[in-house]
Amino acid sequence: MTRTSELDSTGNSAVVGAKNCNVALLGFGTVGSSVARILCERAITHLRLTHVLNRNVARKKVDWLPSLVQWTENIDDVLSSDVDIVVEVMGGLQPTEDWIRRALASGKSVVTANKQLIAHCGPELINLARQMNRQIHFGASVAGGVPVISGLHEGLAGDELFKICGILNGTCNYILSQIETNGIPFATALREAQKLGFAEADPTEDIDGLDARAKLAILARVGLHCNVRPESIVARSISAIDSVDFEYANQLGCTIRQISWAELKAKPKGDDLFAAVQPALVELSSPLARVEGSRNLVMATGTYGGETVFGGHGAGGHPTAVAVVSDILAIARSKQAGMSYAGQPVEKTPTVTSDFSTKHYLRFLVKDRPRIIASLATILSQCSINIDSVLQKPGCPKSHLPFLITLEECKASLVEQALQQINSLDFLVQPCLHLPIL
């Protein structure tokens, strides 16, 4: 039978003769309640929310959901029902992983916003979905409301992507933007981010790059077809960044952002994947430099299409819920069209390294005395590293004197080797801050 689309009485796209697609929601927090509100307020004709699972449902129940929605604390109520799509917005690895596996095994498709789960278990869950002729979508797991997953998977499917980089953590970007704009210390910017709800009480996942690392692993699989474990990607903290670093960066025509990047480099036998998450200097003319506050941005570079940029709000209940509902609609449409699962296979398992060649930024804080530059130059020369420039901010106290050395292009491993010697020198007030200049 041929199905045709038309607008229903609410102005939404409907499918003539389409069967209802029943949806269950696991989790009714910020994102889950936003998903439910969109499903109810948009009244999408062929989608019907039938179940909401959450702990302490008596406390969570709301009066704006239809009375036919079943509230439950028992996953078996969902798995034994006629639900077509299970939407997971609870977070965490367990019991979430087990519940998603059981949902797929019971013949239900899955939508999830769980970045850690997809980063660690994505290939196994995708394979299970394929075996069961079902689908698993995770567009909200990276960059919230920015459609980067679907953009890479579908919009750029005709290209051969070799590089993905971006700003994947809004908390870090907000903190760095505050240090840059207001000249405040890192600790002050973090407290402000926590007060405004941008940062958790324990911000470790964000500050140390672990959140962005999980997202980068997902992007590498979807865009570069590389099977990458998050733990294989180097992640470094933004906590050592100070307002003086933005002053020096500006003199170099740059700013500082937490950058996640993955780039395939061909070798005679196989490929290397250069990947890392860390604060870095980016040119002021780059789209990355213009991302402020809690927004996200992803740049994908392909052999044929060149550079494509995705940007927008990377967090928050409504933007993330939009991505979740978009995934629900994609599954519902393919179900109505009789389509089976068609996932892109992972093609490569590359060697992952952060030892790329670039220029480098070294910021020192020292107790001033003669021959400091000479001592540093000697060590750098012994490691076959050339100095590009030296900058010093005037008027600083001799006991805490900041100055900058930039290095000509060289491998990161050579710089780390030199810093092992440099950081033991007695005139240093604190270890040297080392940032790549991208």
Side-chain angles (χ1 to χ4, degrees):
M1 180 179 68
T2 302
R3 290 181 171 89
T4 58
S5 294
E6 61 181 28
L7 294 181
D8 63 18
S9 59
T10 66
N12 292 302
S13 176
V15 178
V16 176
K19 175 182 177 293
N20 273 345
C21 194
N22 294 332
V23 178
L25 195 55
L26 309 186
F28 201 72
T30 302
V31 175
S33 59
S34 291
V35 170
R37 193 170 286 279
I38 292 175
L39 291 176
C40 290
E41 291 183 357
R42 283 197 59 194
I44 303 168
T45 304
H46 58 287
L47 293 182
R48 188 162 64 99
L49 181 62
T50 60
H51 292 74
V52 174
L53 179 145
N54 204 89
R55 289 179 296 180
N56 303 319
V57 292
R59 180 174 55 85
K60 282 286 186 176
K61 277 187 178 180
V62 292
D63 58 9
W64 47 264
L65 276 182
S67 59
L68 292 177
V69 173
Q70 180 181 341
W71 292 77
T72 182
E73 299 178 19
N74 188 346
I75 188 62
D76 292 328
D77 291 341
V78 173
L79 299 181
S80 62
S81 72
D82 61 352
V83 159
D84 300 290
I85 303 173
V86 173
V87 178
E88 182 275 310
V89 283
M90 296 165 42
L93 292 177
Q94 286 296 347
T96 314
E97 180 191 351
D98 177 56
W99 288 359
I100 287 179
R101 287 183 186 277
R102 290 177 61 192
L104 292 169
S106 66
K108 304 179 191 309
S109 291
V110 169
V111 171
T112 178
N114 194 324
K115 58 183 172 291
Q116 293 293 348
L117 179 68
I118 296 300
H120 287 87
C121 310
E124 296 90 338
L125 295 174
I126 290 169
N127 286 336
L128 177 57
R130 185 180 294 112
Q131 291 167 17
M132 299 304 299
N133 201 30
R134 291 297 178 266
Q135 301 189 53
I136 178 167
H137 284 216
F138 44 89
S141 65
V142 177
V146 183
V148 61
I149 295 292
S150 60
L152 296 177
H153 184 67
E154 298 170 7
L156 297 178
D159 206 347
E160 182 182 49
L161 301 182
F162 60 86
K163 181 180 180 181
I164 294 173
C165 69
I167 293 172
L168 303 180
N169 185 274
T171 298
C172 286
N173 204 63
Y174 177 82
I175 290 171
L176 292 174
S177 295
Q178 289 298 104
I179 297 172
E180 177 179 30
T181 303
N182 300 322
I184 57 179
F186 168 83
T188 303
L190 173 58
R191 284 195 298 272
E192 289 187 5
Q194 288 171 323
K195 285 180 184 177
L196 293 171
F198 289 122
E200 302 287 344
D202 179 2
T204 304
E205 287 274 318
D206 297 321
I207 299 306
D208 290 351
L210 307 182
D211 172 85
R213 182 174 72 175
K215 296 171 182 175
L216 184 62
I218 295 170
L219 292 179
R221 287 182 191 145
V222 174
L224 306 180
H225 310 305
C226 292
N227 186 18
V228 179
R229 300 292 300 177
E231 297 80 8
S232 67
I233 299 174
V234 166
R236 294 191 172 95
S237 176
I238 67 165
S239 59
I241 304 297
D242 192 80
S243 58
V244 71
D245 295 306
F246 283 99
E247 295 179 40
Y248 282 138
N250 190 259
Q251 291 184 53
L252 299 172
C254 297
T255 188
I256 301 169
R257 294 291 184 263
Q258 185 203 54
I259 305 297
S260 305
W261 72 94
E263 183 173 2
L264 276 169
K265 296 286 189 179
K267 300 188 301 180
K269 296 180 180 179
D271 295 291
D272 271 346
L273 183 71
F274 289 83
V277 176
Q278 65 184 90
L281 272 73
V282 294
E283 291 184 353
L284 291 172
S285 59
S286 167
L288 296 166
R290 297 191 288 273
V291 180
E292 297 183 346
S294 60
R295 297 174 72 87
N296 282 191
L297 183 137
V298 177
M299 300 165 60
T301 308
T303 303
Y304 304 100
E307 189 174 274
T308 302
V309 180
F310 304 86
H313 291 286
H318 287 332
T320 305
V322 167
V324 170
V325 174
S326 297
D327 279 348
I328 296 171
L329 285 166
I331 293 175
R333 290 190 191 109
S334 62
K335 180 175 182 290
Q336 290 156 5
M339 294 170 58
S340 61
Y341 182 86
Q344 288 183 309
V346 170
E347 299 169 359
K348 296 179 278 285
T349 304
T351 301
V352 181
T353 175
S354 62
D355 193 17
F356 52 91
S357 292
T358 188
K359 293 184 176 182
H360 299 267
Y361 169 106
L362 303 181
R363 193 261 293 157
F364 299 90
L365 190 63
V366 301
K367 294 174 285 187
D368 195 22
R369 72 183 195 195
R371 296 189 56 79
I372 286 180
I373 299 294
S375 300
L376 297 173
T378 299
I379 295 174
L380 292 169
S381 175
Q382 290 170 351
C383 295
S384 303
I385 299 172
N386 292 330
I387 291 176
D388 184 44
S389 67
V390 178
L391 297 173
Q392 180 177 321
K393 181 183 176 182
C396 295
K398 296 287 188 180
S399 60
H400 287 74
L401 181 68
F403 69 92
L404 166 67
I405 293 179
T406 62
L407 307 177
E408 293 183 1
E409 186 171 309
C410 64
K411 283 194 169 186
S413 58
L414 290 179
V415 182
E416 292 300 326
Q417 178 185 335
L419 289 178
Q420 287 181 6
Q421 300 180 58
I422 288 172
N423 283 331
S424 64
L425 298 174
D426 61 0
F427 53 73
L428 260 67
V429 175
Q430 63 187 35
C432 170
L433 174 65
H434 169 212
L435 305 177
I437 304 175
L438 302 181

